[in-house]
Amino acid sequence: MTMLGLLFPVPMIALVLWFVIGTVHGLSEFPASWTALVPLALAVGAYSFCELVGFRAQPIQPGGRPAEVENQSWLAFNKSAFLRFVACEAVFLVTIPIAFVVSSYWPVLIGAALALPLIAWEAWPSKRNLQRFAASLESGGHPSYLLGRPIDRV
């Protein structure tokens, strides 16, 4: 629910900006190529950051009750997911001032088209992301219970 609440403003801001920029200038001719290259470079940077750094975590320390360990694992995962979300959403947010500078809606459209799938892939709490983060937490040989406790999976 949290990630859905964070994801929803991207298309809403893009829609509002259509009424601010798009109704005046529309989707006329495409502005200078740098207006597309900047968000593309940021998207590549955000993707690289998320893949290389975004799923790293300190291994779980031995001991502790499973419920406490699971709670700590979820807190670490949520912090990491939010960090990955911020990196991915920055791709969209940078296009807003660019759109005002070049007086075109194209940068906003490109930023939203790049940021939405990037957020969905990197920050959404999917099984892929949970497994990657759990593997990082469990690298010390102790269970994180992020994917549930063995008794819950039966």
Side-chain angles (χ1 to χ4, degrees):
M1 291 302 282
T2 302
M3 198 52 66
L4 189 60
L6 292 172
L7 185 63
F8 186 66
V10 173
M12 290 307 298
I13 293 171
L15 178 67
V16 168
L17 286 173
W18 171 255
F19 293 107
V20 174
I21 299 172
T23 56
V24 176
H25 302 289
L27 285 176
S28 58
E29 64 184 64
F30 195 80
S33 62
W34 68 269
T35 60
L37 293 177
V38 168
L40 185 61
L42 286 173
V44 168
Y47 176 77
S48 300
F49 170 78
C50 290
E51 289 294 313
L52 298 174
V53 179
F55 291 98
R56 291 187 183 176
Q58 293 293 323
I60 295 291
Q61 298 300 318
R65 295 183 336 194
E68 292 172 355
V69 172
E70 182 181 13
N71 188 36
Q72 291 173 351
S73 299
W74 274 105
L75 289 173
F77 176 77
N78 287 337
K79 184 170 40 169
S80 171
F82 187 72
L83 184 65
R84 292 189 312 268
F85 169 79
V86 168
C88 296
E89 189 184 38
V91 173
F92 172 70
L93 294 178
V94 166
T95 62
I96 296 171
I98 292 173
F100 281 103
V101 167
V102 297
S103 299
S104 176
Y105 186 72
W106 279 106
V108 173
L109 199 58
I110 292 168
L114 290 171
L116 285 172
L118 194 58
I119 292 169
W121 181 253
E122 294 295 343
W124 195 264
S126 64
K127 188 171 183 174
R128 168 202 177 258
N129 291 344
L130 284 169
Q131 287 175 335
R132 286 192 67 190
F133 199 76
S136 180
L137 288 173
E138 295 171 356
S139 64
H142 306 288
S144 68
Y145 305 112
L146 191 61
L147 300 172
R149 290 178 235 164
I151 196 164
D152 295 337
R153 289 184 247 162
V154 174

mmCIF file of all heavy atoms in Angstrom, residues 86-112:
data_model
loop_
_atom_site.group_PDB
_atom_site.id
_atom_site.type_symbol
_atom_site.label_atom_id
_atom_site.label_comp_id
_atom_site.label_asym_id
_atom_site.label_seq_id
_atom_site.Cartn_x
_atom_site.Cartn_y
_atom_site.Cartn_z
ATOM 1 N N VAL A 86 13.279 6.630 -4.251
ATOM 2 C CA VAL A 86 13.735 8.019 -4.403
ATOM 3 C C VAL A 86 14.679 8.143 -5.600
ATOM 4 O O VAL A 86 14.582 9.093 -6.386
ATOM 5 C CB VAL A 86 14.400 8.521 -3.110
ATOM 6 C CG1 VAL A 86 15.131 9.823 -3.318
ATOM 7 C CG2 VAL A 86 13.357 8.663 -2.010
ATOM 8 N N ALA A 87 15.573 7.191 -5.758
ATOM 9 C CA ALA A 87 16.495 7.227 -6.895
ATOM 10 C C ALA A 87 15.739 7.131 -8.222
ATOM 11 O O ALA A 87 16.060 7.833 -9.179
ATOM 12 C CB ALA A 87 17.513 6.093 -6.789
ATOM 13 N N CYS A 88 14.725 6.288 -8.263
ATOM 14 C CA CYS A 88 13.955 6.117 -9.499
ATOM 15 C C CYS A 88 13.033 7.305 -9.769
ATOM 16 O O CYS A 88 12.865 7.721 -10.915
ATOM 17 C CB CYS A 88 13.135 4.834 -9.437
ATOM 18 S SG CYS A 88 14.122 3.335 -9.350
ATOM 19 N N GLU A 89 12.425 7.859 -8.721
ATOM 20 C CA GLU A 89 11.523 8.984 -8.920
ATOM 21 C C GLU A 89 12.273 10.250 -9.317
ATOM 22 O O GLU A 89 11.715 11.129 -9.984
ATOM 23 C CB GLU A 89 10.702 9.250 -7.665
ATOM 24 C CG GLU A 89 9.603 10.261 -7.911
ATOM 25 C CD GLU A 89 8.829 10.608 -6.669
ATOM 26 O OE1 GLU A 89 9.435 10.709 -5.589
ATOM 27 O OE2 GLU A 89 7.610 10.792 -6.792
ATOM 28 N N ALA A 90 13.533 10.352 -8.938
ATOM 29 C CA ALA A 90 14.328 11.524 -9.324
ATOM 30 C C ALA A 90 14.389 11.684 -10.832
ATOM 31 O O ALA A 90 14.479 12.806 -11.337
ATOM 32 C CB ALA A 90 15.731 11.414 -8.744
ATOM 33 N N VAL A 91 14.305 10.576 -11.554
ATOM 34 C CA VAL A 91 14.295 10.626 -13.024
ATOM 35 C C VAL A 91 13.123 11.480 -13.496
ATOM 36 O O VAL A 91 13.257 12.301 -14.401
ATOM 37 C CB VAL A 91 14.202 9.204 -13.612
ATOM 38 C CG1 VAL A 91 14.029 9.233 -15.114
ATOM 39 C CG2 VAL A 91 15.417 8.386 -13.217
ATOM 40 N N PHE A 92 11.965 11.301 -12.877
ATOM 41 C CA PHE A 92 10.785 12.078 -13.256
ATOM 42 C C PHE A 92 10.869 13.513 -12.744
ATOM 43 O O PHE A 92 10.558 14.453 -13.470
ATOM 44 C CB PHE A 92 9.520 11.403 -12.716
ATOM 45 C CG PHE A 92 8.283 12.229 -12.896
ATOM 46 C CD1 PHE A 92 7.753 12.433 -14.159
ATOM 47 C CD2 PHE A 92 7.649 12.801 -11.814
ATOM 48 C CE1 PHE A 92 6.619 13.202 -14.336
ATOM 49 C CE2 PHE A 92 6.506 13.564 -11.973
ATOM 50 C CZ PHE A 92 5.987 13.764 -13.240
ATOM 51 N N LEU A 93 11.287 13.685 -11.499
ATOM 52 C CA LEU A 93 11.291 15.018 -10.902
ATOM 53 C C LEU A 93 12.229 15.992 -11.604
ATOM 54 O O LEU A 93 11.944 17.188 -11.681
ATOM 55 C CB LEU A 93 11.635 14.921 -9.414
ATOM 56 C CG LEU A 93 10.601 14.201 -8.548
ATOM 57 C CD1 LEU A 93 11.085 14.123 -7.113
ATOM 58 C CD2 LEU A 93 9.253 14.888 -8.630
ATOM 59 N N VAL A 94 13.324 15.487 -12.137
ATOM 60 C CA VAL A 94 14.273 16.360 -12.836
ATOM 61 C C VAL A 94 13.676 16.891 -14.141
ATOM 62 O O VAL A 94 14.023 17.976 -14.595
ATOM 63 C CB VAL A 94 15.602 15.604 -13.079
ATOM 64 C CG1 VAL A 94 16.490 16.313 -14.064
ATOM 65 C CG2 VAL A 94 16.326 15.419 -11.764
ATOM 66 N N THR A 95 12.755 16.138 -14.723
ATOM 67 C CA THR A 95 12.175 16.577 -15.999
ATOM 68 C C THR A 95 11.206 17.742 -15.838
ATOM 69 O O THR A 95 10.932 18.427 -16.817
ATOM 70 C CB THR A 95 11.447 15.419 -16.703
ATOM 71 O OG1 THR A 95 10.365 14.968 -15.890
ATOM 72 C CG2 THR A 95 12.406 14.284 -16.999
ATOM 73 N N ILE A 96 10.715 17.974 -14.635
ATOM 74 C CA ILE A 96 9.755 19.077 -14.442
ATOM 75 C C ILE A 96 10.408 20.431 -14.704
ATOM 76 O O ILE A 96 9.900 21.210 -15.518
ATOM 77 C CB ILE A 96 9.106 18.992 -13.046
ATOM 78 C CG1 ILE A 96 8.273 17.709 -12.947
ATOM 79 C CG2 ILE A 96 8.238 20.217 -12.768
ATOM 80 C CD1 ILE A 96 7.759 17.399 -11.563
ATOM 81 N N PRO A 97 11.542 20.771 -14.073
ATOM 82 C CA PRO A 97 12.155 22.058 -14.418
ATOM 83 C C PRO A 97 12.646 22.114 -15.860
ATOM 84 O O PRO A 97 12.614 23.176 -16.498
ATOM 85 C CB PRO A 97 13.306 22.203 -13.433
ATOM 86 C CG PRO A 97 13.473 20.917 -12.753
ATOM 87 C CD PRO A 97 12.242 20.119 -12.966
ATOM 88 N N ILE A 98 13.083 20.974 -16.399
ATOM 89 C CA ILE A 98 13.506 20.960 -17.806
ATOM 90 C C ILE A 98 12.336 21.338 -18.700
ATOM 91 O O ILE A 98 12.498 22.107 -19.661
ATOM 92 C CB ILE A 98 14.080 19.574 -18.189
ATOM 93 C CG1 ILE A 98 15.392 19.321 -17.464
ATOM 94 C CG2 ILE A 98 14.276 19.467 -19.691
ATOM 95 C CD1 ILE A 98 15.938 17.913 -17.643
ATOM 96 N N ALA A 99 11.149 20.824 -18.396
ATOM 97 C CA ALA A 99 9.960 21.132 -19.198
ATOM 98 C C ALA A 99 9.639 22.619 -19.165
ATOM 99 O O ALA A 99 9.247 23.200 -20.193
ATOM 100 C CB ALA A 99 8.769 20.326 -18.699
ATOM 101 N N PHE A 100 9.821 23.240 -18.024
ATOM 102 C CA PHE A 100 9.558 24.678 -17.946
ATOM 103 C C PHE A 100 10.630 25.487 -18.672
ATOM 104 O O PHE A 100 10.339 26.516 -19.266
ATOM 105 C CB PHE A 100 9.451 25.130 -16.488
ATOM 106 C CG PHE A 100 8.124 24.817 -15.869
ATOM 107 C CD1 PHE A 100 7.993 23.751 -15.003
ATOM 108 C CD2 PHE A 100 7.011 25.579 -16.156
ATOM 109 C CE1 PHE A 100 6.776 23.447 -14.432
ATOM 110 C CE2 PHE A 100 5.774 25.289 -15.602
ATOM 111 C CZ PHE A 100 5.657 24.219 -14.732
ATOM 112 N N VAL A 101 11.861 25.019 -18.641
ATOM 113 C CA VAL A 101 12.948 25.736 -19.318
ATOM 114 C C VAL A 101 12.747 25.716 -20.832
ATOM 115 O O VAL A 101 12.907 26.739 -21.499
ATOM 116 C CB VAL A 101 14.323 25.133 -18.938
ATOM 117 C CG1 VAL A 101 15.425 25.628 -19.857
ATOM 118 C CG2 VAL A 101 14.650 25.444 -17.491
ATOM 119 N N VAL A 102 12.390 24.554 -21.368
ATOM 120 C CA VAL A 102 12.247 24.443 -22.827
ATOM 121 C C VAL A 102 10.816 24.671 -23.293
ATOM 122 O O VAL A 102 10.539 24.621 -24.484
ATOM 123 C CB VAL A 102 12.757 23.075 -23.348
ATOM 124 C CG1 VAL A 102 14.229 22.922 -23.072
ATOM 125 C CG2 VAL A 102 11.953 21.926 -22.791
ATOM 126 N N SER A 103 9.890 24.945 -22.360
ATOM 127 C CA SER A 103 8.478 25.183 -22.675
ATOM 128 C C SER A 103 7.892 24.078 -23.545
ATOM 129 O O SER A 103 7.303 24.330 -24.601
ATOM 130 C CB SER A 103 8.297 26.543 -23.360
ATOM 131 O OG SER A 103 8.713 27.569 -22.522
ATOM 132 N N SER A 104 8.053 22.848 -23.094
ATOM 133 C CA SER A 104 7.536 21.694 -23.816
ATOM 134 C C SER A 104 7.112 20.627 -22.808
ATOM 135 O O SER A 104 7.720 20.485 -21.751
ATOM 136 C CB SER A 104 8.602 21.127 -24.752
ATOM 137 O OG SER A 104 8.130 19.954 -25.375
ATOM 138 N N TYR A 105 6.081 19.876 -23.167
ATOM 139 C CA TYR A 105 5.596 18.798 -22.310
ATOM 140 C C TYR A 105 6.364 17.507 -22.542
ATOM 141 O O TYR A 105 6.294 16.590 -21.742
ATOM 142 C CB TYR A 105 4.099 18.576 -22.571
ATOM 143 C CG TYR A 105 3.467 17.586 -21.637
ATOM 144 C CD1 TYR A 105 3.248 17.911 -20.303
ATOM 145 C CD2 TYR A 105 3.080 16.332 -22.080
ATOM 146 C CE1 TYR A 105 2.666 17.005 -19.435
ATOM 147 C CE2 TYR A 105 2.491 15.420 -21.220
ATOM 148 C CZ TYR A 105 2.290 15.765 -19.907
ATOM 149 O OH TYR A 105 1.716 14.866 -19.047
ATOM 150 N N TRP A 106 7.132 17.414 -23.600
ATOM 151 C CA TRP A 106 7.870 16.192 -23.928
ATOM 152 C C TRP A 106 8.763 15.697 -22.802
ATOM 153 O O TRP A 106 8.782 14.496 -22.526
ATOM 154 C CB TRP A 106 8.685 16.383 -25.212
ATOM 155 C CG TRP A 106 7.864 16.208 -26.443
ATOM 156 C CD1 TRP A 106 7.427 17.188 -27.288
ATOM 157 C CD2 TRP A 106 7.364 14.978 -26.977
ATOM 158 N NE1 TRP A 106 6.684 16.652 -28.299
ATOM 159 C CE2 TRP A 106 6.635 15.288 -28.146
ATOM 160 C CE3 TRP A 106 7.462 13.657 -26.578
ATOM 161 C CZ2 TRP A 106 6.021 14.316 -28.905
ATOM 162 C CZ3 TRP A 106 6.849 12.684 -27.338
ATOM 163 C CH2 TRP A 106 6.129 13.015 -28.492
ATOM 164 N N PRO A 107 9.548 16.555 -22.135
ATOM 165 C CA PRO A 107 10.400 16.039 -21.051
ATOM 166 C C PRO A 107 9.608 15.370 -19.928
ATOM 167 O O PRO A 107 10.033 14.342 -19.387
ATOM 168 C CB PRO A 107 11.135 17.285 -20.539
ATOM 169 C CG PRO A 107 11.126 18.215 -21.688
ATOM 170 C CD PRO A 107 9.845 17.973 -22.406
ATOM 171 N N VAL A 108 8.441 15.921 -19.576
ATOM 172 C CA VAL A 108 7.608 15.321 -18.536
ATOM 173 C C VAL A 108 7.124 13.954 -18.994
ATOM 174 O O VAL A 108 7.147 12.984 -18.228
ATOM 175 C CB VAL A 108 6.404 16.234 -18.207
ATOM 176 C CG1 VAL A 108 5.438 15.554 -17.256
ATOM 177 C CG2 VAL A 108 6.881 17.549 -17.629
ATOM 178 N N LEU A 109 6.713 13.861 -20.227
ATOM 179 C CA LEU A 109 6.236 12.596 -20.779
ATOM 180 C C LEU A 109 7.346 11.543 -20.789
ATOM 181 O O LEU A 109 7.132 10.390 -20.402
ATOM 182 C CB LEU A 109 5.713 12.834 -22.201
ATOM 183 C CG LEU A 109 4.798 11.806 -22.796
ATOM 184 C CD1 LEU A 109 3.566 11.617 -21.935
ATOM 185 C CD2 LEU A 109 4.393 12.239 -24.190
ATOM 186 N N ILE A 110 8.531 11.941 -21.190
ATOM 187 C CA ILE A 110 9.677 11.023 -21.214
ATOM 188 C C ILE A 110 10.052 10.604 -19.791
ATOM 189 O O ILE A 110 10.299 9.431 -19.512
ATOM 190 C CB ILE A 110 10.880 11.670 -21.933
ATOM 191 C CG1 ILE A 110 10.564 11.826 -23.419
ATOM 192 C CG2 ILE A 110 12.144 10.862 -21.730
ATOM 193 C CD1 ILE A 110 11.548 12.696 -24.156
ATOM 194 N N GLY A 111 10.081 11.577 -18.870
ATOM 195 C CA GLY A 111 10.422 11.269 -17.483
ATOM 196 C C GLY A 111 9.441 10.301 -16.845
ATOM 197 O O GLY A 111 9.842 9.361 -16.154
ATOM 198 N N ALA A 112 8.152 10.499 -17.083
ATOM 199 C CA ALA A 112 7.143 9.588 -16.528
ATOM 200 C C ALA A 112 7.253 8.210 -17.170
ATOM 201 O O ALA A 112 7.138 7.186 -16.480
ATOM 202 C CB ALA A 112 5.748 10.161 -16.728
#
